[in-house]
């Protein structure tokens, strides 16, 4: 749905339309991956804080996983540290990891917490190291450009992959009325720290919580077809076809893969939406047509 069309509707009609969704999601957990332009625009940051606070007040349990790539790049640049990217992932040496942990677990995380608390919520900041929330291991990258030769193994530094999630601390916080805000940093079995992709963390946390919904905020409207039109709902079979014919490409591929992983591990439904739209989370959850792409496994396409 065009957001301007929502704005033109009678407010009472929108509230009545929202009622069955509020009833459906009451007491349920919704995991939101917060990133992109919505994290840097002041107005959108306020809108997001309002949305999350409202969800909690009406009986829903929101859990937020956030990124912070632009903020990390800004601090690294100020410190004279040059970032190198390997297949879209930031090479993370010890010095870079120190900055990643400081920015994600410190400045970015606490800014989100403060904004939600200012709106009347009770947010608490975490990283994957708190309460042994995220056990991680070093990511292995295999590249095989020549089928006649063995694959090349690329070392991304302290970039991690999720081994397991222990959601006990999240359950404890949500039961006490708090809103967990999670930075995508994990801990290895020997205590080492890993930088992990926020979409991956959100997907795995949603699965561990058996969340009702996983919402991935991005900077585009959702999955777009060959004519650049929004695909409002899509199943795993069509995703495979669209990747094969290059309709889904670039950064959207890992997003749909994370969405499918969550679905196959028990999440009821996933959404990919444009975080640049004011109050995007509410519009997606509480209107009949939504504003982005709903992803299903063996569902309608």
């Amino acid at each position: 749905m065009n957001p301007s069309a929502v704005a033109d509707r009678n407010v009472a009609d929108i509230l009545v339309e929202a009622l069955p969704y509020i009833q459906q999601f009451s007491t349920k957990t919704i995991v939101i991956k917060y990133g992109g332009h919505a994290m840097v625009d002041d107005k959108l940051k306020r809108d997001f804080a309002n949305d999350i606070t409202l969800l909690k007040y009406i009986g829903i349990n929101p859990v937020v996983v956030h990124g912070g790539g632009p903020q990390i790049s800004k601090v690294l640049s100020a410190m004279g540290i040059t970032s190198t990217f390997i297949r879209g992932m930031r090479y993370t040496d010890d010095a870079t990891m120190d900055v990643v942990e400081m920015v994600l677990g410190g400045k970015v995380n606490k800014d989100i917490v403060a904004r939600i608390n200012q709106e009347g919520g009770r947010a608490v900041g975490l990283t994957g190291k708190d309460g042994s929330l995220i056990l991680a291991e070093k990511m292995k990258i295999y590249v095989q450009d020549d089928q006649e030769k063995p694959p090349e193994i690329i070392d991304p530094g302290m970039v991690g992959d999720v081994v397991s999630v222990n959601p006990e601390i999240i359950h404890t916080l949500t039961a006490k009325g708090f809103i967990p805000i999670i930075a995508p940093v994990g801990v290895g079995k020997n205590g080492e720290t890993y930088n992990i992709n926020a979409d991956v963390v959100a997907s795995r946390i949603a699965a561990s919580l058996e969340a009702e919904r996983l919402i991935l905020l991005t900077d585009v409207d959702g999955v777009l077809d060959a004519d650049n039109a929004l695909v409002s709902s899509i199943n795993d079979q069509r995703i495979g076809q669209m990747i094969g014919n290059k309709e889904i490409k670039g950064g959207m591929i890992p997003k749909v893969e994370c969405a499918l992983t969550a679905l196959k591990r028990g999440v009821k439904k996933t959404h990919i939406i444009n975080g640049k739209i004011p109050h995007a989370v509410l519009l997606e959850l509480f209107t009949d047509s939504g504003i982005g792409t709903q992803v299903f496994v063996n569902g309608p396409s």
Side-chain angles (χ1 to χ4, degrees):
M1 175 184 289
N2 187 325
S4 63
V6 175
D8 290 339
R9 294 174 55 195
N10 183 285
V11 174
D13 289 340
I14 295 175
L15 290 173
V16 170
E17 185 177 307
L19 179 59
Y21 297 106
I22 293 171
Q23 293 170 326
Q24 176 187 350
F25 298 140
S26 180
T27 74
K28 302 295 176 57
T29 297
I30 294 177
V31 176
I32 302 108
K33 186 270 177 162
Y34 180 39
H37 192 74
M39 283 187 66
V40 296
D41 179 276
D42 280 339
K43 174 63 167 60
L44 292 174
K45 287 195 279 189
R46 287 193 299 272
D47 288 345
F48 182 80
N50 274 318
D51 290 0
I52 298 304
T53 302
L54 176 61
L55 291 179
K56 191 67 176 180
Y57 266 91
I58 61 177
I60 296 168
N61 293 317
V63 176
V64 177
V65 178
H66 65 82
Q71 294 89 336
I72 292 169
S73 295
K74 184 177 180 180
V75 174
L76 287 172
S77 178
M79 295 176 65
I81 301 174
T82 302
S83 291
T84 301
F85 289 87
I86 302 169
R87 300 207 164 213
M89 292 174 289
R90 190 190 307 270
Y91 176 79
T92 307
D93 58 13
D94 289 342
T96 302
M97 189 65 242
D98 287 343
V99 173
V100 167
E101 189 168 16
M102 175 183 70
V103 173
L104 289 181
K107 178 174 173 45
V108 173
N109 187 276
K110 301 315 175 190
D111 180 64
I112 299 167
V113 167
R115 286 179 180 273
I116 291 173
N117 290 344
Q118 285 170 358
E119 299 302 328
R122 299 171 69 206
V124 176
L126 303 169
T127 75
K129 298 171 76 172
D130 293 308
S132 300
L133 174 58
I134 301 172
L135 178 63
E137 65 182 3
K138 187 183 183 71
M139 178 176 284
K140 300 180 177 112
I141 302 176
Y142 297 94
V143 179
Q144 189 164 18
D145 295 325
D146 187 343
Q147 297 300 317
E148 302 297 322
K149 297 179 181 179
E152 178 186 1
I153 301 176
I154 298 177
D155 180 5
M158 301 305 291
V159 174
D161 204 354
V162 176
V163 175
S164 63
V165 174
N166 173 15
E168 181 181 2
I169 190 171
I170 298 177
H171 288 309
T172 299
L173 289 170
T174 56
K176 296 292 186 181
F178 293 101
I179 303 168
I181 311 298
I182 302 166
V185 174
V187 62
K189 63 180 180 180
N190 297 315
E192 61 273 44
T193 304
Y194 288 104
N195 176 22
I196 311 175
N197 178 276
D199 288 330
V200 172
V201 170
S203 172
R204 292 296 299 274
I205 284 178
S208 75
L209 295 171
E210 299 181 346
E212 187 73 14
R213 295 287 187 270
L214 167 64
I215 300 176
L216 303 175
L217 270 65
T218 184
D219 284 343
V220 296
D221 288 338
V223 176
L224 306 178
D225 64 18
D227 297 320
N228 219 33
L230 176 67
V231 179
S232 60
S233 64
I234 189 170
N235 63 18
D236 49 341
Q237 291 90 351
R238 189 175 178 195
I239 284 173
Q241 294 167 357
M242 291 182 72
I243 291 175
N245 61 26
K246 298 187 181 341
E247 288 180 274
I248 296 177
K249 56 189 175 182
M252 187 55 68
I253 293 177
K255 288 194 181 299
V256 296
E257 289 177 343
C258 286
L260 290 175
T261 296
L263 291 166
K264 291 173 181 177
R265 296 188 182 202
V267 176
K268 303 298 187 297
K269 191 184 293 183
T270 64
H271 309 249
I272 301 172
I273 67 173
N274 190 343
K276 294 188 293 184
I277 296 171
H279 301 293
V281 172
L282 300 184
L283 292 173
E284 180 66 13
L285 286 175
F286 298 142
T287 61
D288 290 339
S289 56
I291 58 167
T293 300
Q294 298 183 39
V295 183
F296 304 82
V297 171
N298 296 321
S301 60

